[in-house]
Amino acid sequence: MISESRCPVEDGELLVRRGGEGPALLLIAGGTGSGDSYRALAKQLYADYTVITYDRRGHFGSTDTTTGPVPVPLQADDARAVLDHTTDGPALVFGSSAGAVIGLDLVARFSDRVTTLVAHEPPAVHLMPDAGGWLEAAADQVRLARSGELMTAVTRFADAIAGAALPDLPNLRLPHEADWIRLFDRELTEFYDYLPDLRALRKARTEIIPVAGEGSRGHYHYQPAKILALELGLPFTEMPGAHLAPQRNPAKFAVALKDLLSAEAA
């Protein structure tokens, strides 16, 4: 049984879904912010966890009355609000891509709310020695989207991600166009500009598990998790699949995720 509720946040309201039984596990979405992007993964986890998902502010079923850039700390405040809305104590958290960046800020500022964070391929490019090129690529995508070339921006965005390239079809229609526009116009630069607070993360009581997919080797989104593990003096773990494995290989990914979480709980 999946229940839906509305979680009030500053200048908005979030659509929250909850299902399953067991310890609370919050899944933070990346990409265009849909909690439903984890629907198949959540189904694999319901027998072991109370799985909580939500649409990020301004995306899909959630609202946002602000204008301008949406900073990562505000997104992390939202994640904390969801935890306060759905749980009585600290919870497990999984975030992929931008969701992992949000999870890192959540732990840096509210470590008492998170027992374990699995950070899957956070695009924390400022940790990389060649950050400048990736920041410029993101800036180009934003410029394209703002100038009316949204499909070109999305194509370049997807081409850089392991296993995410769009099919080469004429007149391909882009689904959820408004959510893509919001990502490029108000969020993408904020995610790429975010530098995790390494000092706060080192002091946090939370167990932090930086991970990346074996299919992402050689791609930019593989490196930050590996560097983060080095910076924090933590093990780095490879997961099955590539960047979109939580969506495209949910059964195999869920097994690996449960193994990680069980090892931390032991």
Side-chain angles (χ1 to χ4, degrees):
M1 179 76 178
I2 311 303
S3 63
E4 289 190 354
S5 60
R6 310 291 302 184
C7 173
V9 292
E10 183 178 356
D11 299 311
E13 196 174 60
L14 307 178
L15 175 61
V16 178
R17 299 177 182 88
R18 174 177 172 154
E21 295 182 1
L25 170 59
L26 174 67
L27 307 181
I28 306 177
T32 54
S34 170
D36 257 1
S37 66
Y38 288 132
R39 181 185 295 179
L41 178 63
K43 286 182 180 178
Q44 301 290 328
L45 299 168
Y46 285 150
D48 300 282
Y49 301 98
T50 299
V51 181
I52 303 155
T53 62
Y54 68 99
D55 295 341
R56 292 206 317 267
R57 67 165 53 229
H59 288 287
F60 297 90
S62 295
T63 63
D64 179 22
T65 61
T66 67
T67 58
V70 184
V72 171
L74 179 59
Q75 304 260 19
D77 288 343
D78 289 349
R80 182 189 177 180
V82 171
L83 289 176
D84 291 344
H85 177 72
T86 55
T87 67
D88 294 326
L92 305 161
V93 176
F94 169 81
S96 183
S97 193
V101 170
I102 296 168
L104 289 169
D105 194 74
L106 175 68
V107 168
R109 295 190 297 123
F110 309 112
S111 67
D112 61 312
R113 298 298 285 113
V114 184
T115 56
T116 300
L117 168 68
V118 179
H120 179 253
E121 301 195 6
V125 297
H126 274 286
L127 295 174
M128 300 167 64
D130 57 346
W134 297 110
L135 293 170
E136 183 56 37
D140 284 340
Q141 293 163 18
V142 170
R143 283 193 288 269
L144 284 166
R146 287 175 174 170
S147 65
E149 297 184 60
L150 179 62
M151 194 65 209
T152 303
V154 173
T155 300
R156 291 190 184 179
F157 177 81
D159 283 348
I161 296 173
L166 299 175
D168 187 16
L169 297 173
N171 303 316
L172 181 68
R173 185 175 181 276
L174 183 67
H176 314 303
E177 184 174 294
D179 294 281
W180 281 105
I181 291 171
R182 180 181 175 89
L183 174 65
F184 285 111
D185 189 45
R186 300 185 58 189
E187 296 180 323
L188 192 69
T189 299
E190 298 298 310
F191 287 131
Y192 275 74
D193 276 349
Y194 180 77
L195 178 64
D197 186 340
L198 297 176
R199 180 176 294 181
L201 293 174
R202 291 187 189 108
K203 293 179 178 179
R205 291 175 286 176
T206 304
E207 295 289 342
I208 303 169
I209 309 175
V211 302
E214 58 190 9
S216 295
R217 294 175 195 162
H219 291 261
Y220 81 92
H221 44 81
Y222 180 94
Q223 292 301 323
K226 198 169 185 179
I227 296 169
L228 181 67
L230 279 171
E231 291 283 356
L232 299 180
L234 297 171
F236 167 73
T237 304
E238 279 196 346
M239 299 284 276
H243 192 68
L244 297 179
Q247 289 80 24
R248 296 188 176 175
N249 310 101
K252 197 170 184 180
F253 196 87
V255 170
L257 180 58
K258 285 190 282 189
D259 285 347
L260 278 179
L261 296 174
S262 298
E264 290 301 321

